[in-house]
Amino acid sequence: MNRKTRTRFAPSPTGPLHMGGVRTALYAYLFAKQKGGDFLLRIEDTDQTRFVPGAEEYIIESLNWSGIKIDEGVSVGGKFAPYRQSERKEMYRKYAEQLTASGHAYYAFDTSAELDAIRKQAEAAKGAFSYDSTSRMKLNNSLTISKEETEKKIASGDHYVIRLKVPENTEVKFTDIIRGEVSFNSSLVDDKVLLKSDGMPTYHLAHIVDDYLMEITHAIRGEEWLPSAPAHILIYKFLGWEDLMPQYAHLPLLLKPDGNGKLSKRDGDKLGFPVFPLEWKDPKTGEISSGYREKGYYPEAFVNMLAFLGWNPGTEQEVFTMDDLIQKFSFAHVHKAGARFDPEKTKWFNEQWLHRQPETELASRLKSSLKDQFQFADNDRRVSESFLTKCVQLLKVRTQFENEFIEKGKYLFLAPTQYDEQAIQKKWKPELTIFFQNVSGVFAGMSSFTAPEIEITFKETAAANNLKPGDVIQLFRVFLSGQSAGVDLFPMAELLGKEEVVARINAALNHVK
Ligand code: GLU
């Protein structure tokens, strides 16, 4: 059967979405779009104890900001609505009951206190308890009591869960898109709870029922689900849905920058970079975690970086638009090993995307920031389009973030009030006063003040004073900008204009005297 490709992103609203989650969504989106298919957003909120207010909105906003468009699902609707599992609660029971009726699942009445006690006993004996084929016949469930007793218990309102009856010692195999054939012995799999005592399904049952009903063809998820995959394969088989089972792809873990261990939600600001797409304020503690958006990353850079965390195009190309990614993405180039996160490379991606921003747009955003920060008047030359476009050209090759323009290039807009004294001390000699007075005089007389003309004039004046450019050029930079490093010197002088350059040299001479 030729089915339309349908992928889904199925996060649980338990807090802010980790960047690893965005990567999962991204790969699912890229794959669906490449195949002309649909990308769905399903919210898996069956664990009500872990529900965090605002998390769902955060997930949707993160996808929107990243440019991952939802074709169907929470926030946009669709023909398989509702897409929030809590609102689908009533749909799952019948499948759990179908499994018990066919002997592939059973009712378990053990209370959590009873199970805890058994677990503790096992620990005391240096063992581990698992509810499975080795223990189920000694526990309180419909396999160990009669049918009548089971019915009586249920009718009298006893709490129960429905558990999957995992067969003993059989091989469970499936083909993972990334890992190829994967095989597990069923004895490693416990009798997973399918339906909880509150009537809610667990993830194990709910995602299968939903993937089936929503006609999902590829289930793309994190590696942490690989150990549960055999249970999932068995559920598909027992429900008779094997033919329609989506193909699973288990994505590699994201690792910390040093490669030691998983990049966790808690690593974030501790290691000096965000792990969340957007800033998040914890609704309980008020604690703020930083986000890529607020740090000044472009969504294109964030997505570009995420795409490369686990995938590569097999060529040298590194900068990809979303459309390029849709074209080039392939699971054949997704590796199995964990992907090490590199914060410096992430900045590099932002720099590449900064270079690709249209200059007029950069200039117009810079204009509003400048007006906010310095209250420049509308007719001030420093907020004119031509001045700002030149500023942007000079600054963008020296910065990684657009939001650093003003901080790094403040001297383009305001004369320095402080100077790098160390840089001055290194080169300054009182005799140089004459030279700088000379330069400022010659500059004042120039009828055209372009970068090449300024450069030639500056160097000729130095030669006439028996100086090498190296003796005075750094001082010239510090006099104009206050700093020893910054944008290209002579183009900066051209941009500042003759009067401003002359005024800044004279002010600096007063300072060094
Ligand atoms: N709700 C699961 C999670 O947040 C989804 C896993 C899946 O995509 O199937 O990890």
Side-chain angles (χ1 to χ4, degrees):
M1 195 175 26
N2 216 350
R3 296 208 287 165
K4 186 177 193 192
T5 300
R6 285 167 62 84
T7 65
R8 84 298 191 273
F9 179 49
S12 299
T14 53
L17 184 60
H18 186 269
M19 60 195 250
V22 187
R23 187 199 55 177
T24 303
L26 176 66
Y27 285 11
Y29 172 74
L30 295 176
F31 185 73
K33 294 296 112 185
Q34 185 178 79
K35 305 285 178 210
D38 301 325
F39 170 75
L40 283 76
L41 174 67
R42 183 171 72 222
I43 295 289
E44 303 206 325
D45 57 349
T46 55
D47 189 350
Q48 309 257 289
T49 58
R50 296 182 63 214
F51 177 82
V52 172
E56 180 183 305
E57 292 75 5
Y58 180 95
I59 290 165
I60 294 165
E61 204 181 330
S62 299
L63 296 182
N64 287 341
W65 179 69
S66 306
I68 299 172
K69 296 188 195 76
I70 306 161
D71 294 307
E72 198 179 306
V74 171
S75 82
V76 295
K79 67 172 176 172
F80 296 107
Y83 293 91
R84 214 175 266 117
Q85 286 183 330
S86 59
E87 293 168 20
R88 302 170 64 80
K89 182 176 173 189
E90 299 317 319
M91 294 188 200
Y92 305 106
R93 173 175 297 274
K94 94 168 184 222
Y95 298 103
E97 270 161 8
Q98 185 184 323
L99 289 168
T100 46
S102 62
H104 294 301
Y106 57 91
Y107 299 97
F109 301 99
D110 324 78
T111 63
S112 14
E114 281 164 359
L115 291 178
D116 275 351
I118 300 173
R119 221 166 265 132
K120 287 215 177 87
Q121 255 178 22
E123 276 163 25
K126 301 259 176 287
F129 167 71
S130 169
Y131 208 126
D132 59 17
S133 60
T134 63
S135 60
R136 67 169 84 104
M137 295 314 287
K138 292 175 235 150
L139 294 157
N140 187 5
N141 56 52
S142 58
L143 302 172
T144 57
I145 57 174
S146 69
K147 194 162 180 258
E148 292 69 38
E149 254 181 291
T150 302
E151 277 163 10
K152 225 169 80 194
K153 272 177 178 289
I154 293 175
S156 68
D158 272 16
H159 279 297
Y160 66 86
V161 300
I162 294 182
R163 284 183 181 271
L164 179 67
K165 190 175 168 202
V166 177
E168 204 183 331
N169 201 22
T170 39
E171 208 189 3
V172 185
K173 278 199 274 190
F174 74 100
T175 306
D176 183 273
I177 305 174
I178 297 165
R179 285 148 217 274
E181 194 176 314
V182 186
S183 154
F184 289 83
N185 186 297
S186 65
S187 299
L188 294 171
V189 184
D190 63 337
D191 286 356
K192 295 206 181 304
V193 172
L194 301 176
L195 200 75
K196 296 182 280 185
S197 57
D198 63 0
M200 277 286 193
T202 58
Y203 166 69
H204 306 295
L205 178 66
H207 91 276
I208 289 175
V209 169
D210 287 344
D211 282 353
Y212 170 75
L213 294 176
M214 294 176 186
E215 298 174 3
I216 298 301
T217 56
H218 298 80
I220 297 152
R221 63 184 182 185
E223 188 184 83
E224 66 274 20
W225 292 110
L226 191 57
S228 313
H232 303 156
I233 307 299
L234 288 171
I235 299 173
Y236 273 106
K237 209 160 135 191
F238 296 156
L239 286 169
W241 296 343
E242 248 181 318
D243 290 350
L244 292 172
M245 187 173 104
Q247 277 185 271
Y248 278 107
H250 290 92
L251 302 181
L253 288 175
L254 293 195
L255 305 177
K256 291 188 214 300
D258 64 6
N260 286 324
K262 215 168 102 172
L263 183 65
S264 80
K265 286 194 174 185
R266 285 170 302 278
D267 287 329
D269 296 316
K270 234 172 37 197
L271 297 176
F273 53 82
V275 289
F276 300 119
L278 319 176
E279 194 171 274
W280 166 260
K281 185 171 177 199
D282 188 293
K284 270 209 200 111
T285 62
E287 192 194 338
I288 296 203
S289 307
S290 71
Y292 282 89
R293 180 177 66 183
E294 290 72 13
K295 287 270 180 199
Y297 284 84
Y298 296 115
E300 293 87 348
F302 177 65
V303 160
N304 201 156
M305 169 281 284
L306 277 184
F308 272 75
L309 280 180
W311 168 83
N312 67 74
T315 62
E316 295 295 303
Q317 189 185 344
E318 290 191 279
V319 180
F320 281 79
T321 62
M322 190 67 101
D323 284 341
D324 294 338
L325 288 171
I326 290 172
Q327 263 185 29
K328 299 279 163 58
F329 180 77
S330 151
F331 278 114
H333 283 280
V334 174
H335 45 76
K336 299 188 203 72
R340 200 150 59 84
F341 174 66
D342 181 350
E344 290 314 311
K345 186 78 187 188
T346 306
K347 291 182 190 157
W348 178 87
F349 275 116
N350 206 65
E351 193 180 321
Q352 303 311 307
W353 278 95
L354 171 58
H355 295 166
R356 282 165 176 76
Q357 300 297 310
E359 277 168 8
T360 49
E361 286 174 25
L362 285 171
S364 108
R365 291 194 290 264
L366 180 57
K367 178 174 174 169
S368 18
S369 312
L370 281 168
K371 287 177 77 175
D372 283 353
Q373 202 166 325
F374 301 122
Q375 282 80 46
F376 289 155
D378 278 332
N379 61 356
D380 191 311
R381 172 176 173 263
R382 293 168 293 184
V383 288
S384 70
E385 198 183 319
S386 66
F387 184 84
L388 289 176
T389 306
K390 285 183 198 137
C391 289
V392 159
Q393 286 163 353
L394 290 176
L395 284 166
K396 74 175 193 176
V397 292
R398 303 257 172 237
T399 37
Q400 293 183 303
F401 294 91
E402 186 179 331
N403 65 9
E404 290 177 343
F405 279 179
I406 298 186
E407 185 198 326
K408 292 216 165 150
K410 196 168 168 197
Y411 52 82
L412 297 177
F413 314 106
L414 300 172
T417 50
Q418 280 174 339
Y419 299 90
D420 180 336
E421 298 298 344
Q422 253 185 350
I424 292 180
Q425 261 172 33
K426 249 193 230 161
K427 292 285 179 185
W428 179 250
K429 292 192 221 86
E431 309 87 271
L432 293 177
T433 309
I434 308 270
F435 163 72
F436 278 102
Q437 280 169 346
N438 225 250
V439 163
S440 107
V442 179
F443 281 170
M446 284 168 76
S447 53
S448 162
F449 200 68
T450 65
E453 290 163 324
I454 302 166
E455 184 167 358
I456 292 171
T457 310
F458 184 84
K459 290 181 176 164
E460 280 175 0
T461 314
N465 283 268
N466 286 325
L467 292 165
K468 290 193 289 302
D471 298 329
V472 281
I473 213 151
Q474 184 67 346
L475 286 168
F476 183 38
R477 173 183 287 286
V478 178
F479 285 4
L480 292 190
S481 69
Q483 340 187 138
S484 53
V487 302
D488 289 345
L489 178 59
F490 296 105
M492 162 168 86
E494 173 184 327
L495 179 64
L496 292 174
K498 191 168 80 176
E499 283 73 29
E500 184 70 16
V501 168
V502 168
R504 288 191 187 186
I505 295 174
N506 295 339
L509 284 177
N510 278 332
H511 171 83
V512 288
K513 255 197 242 158

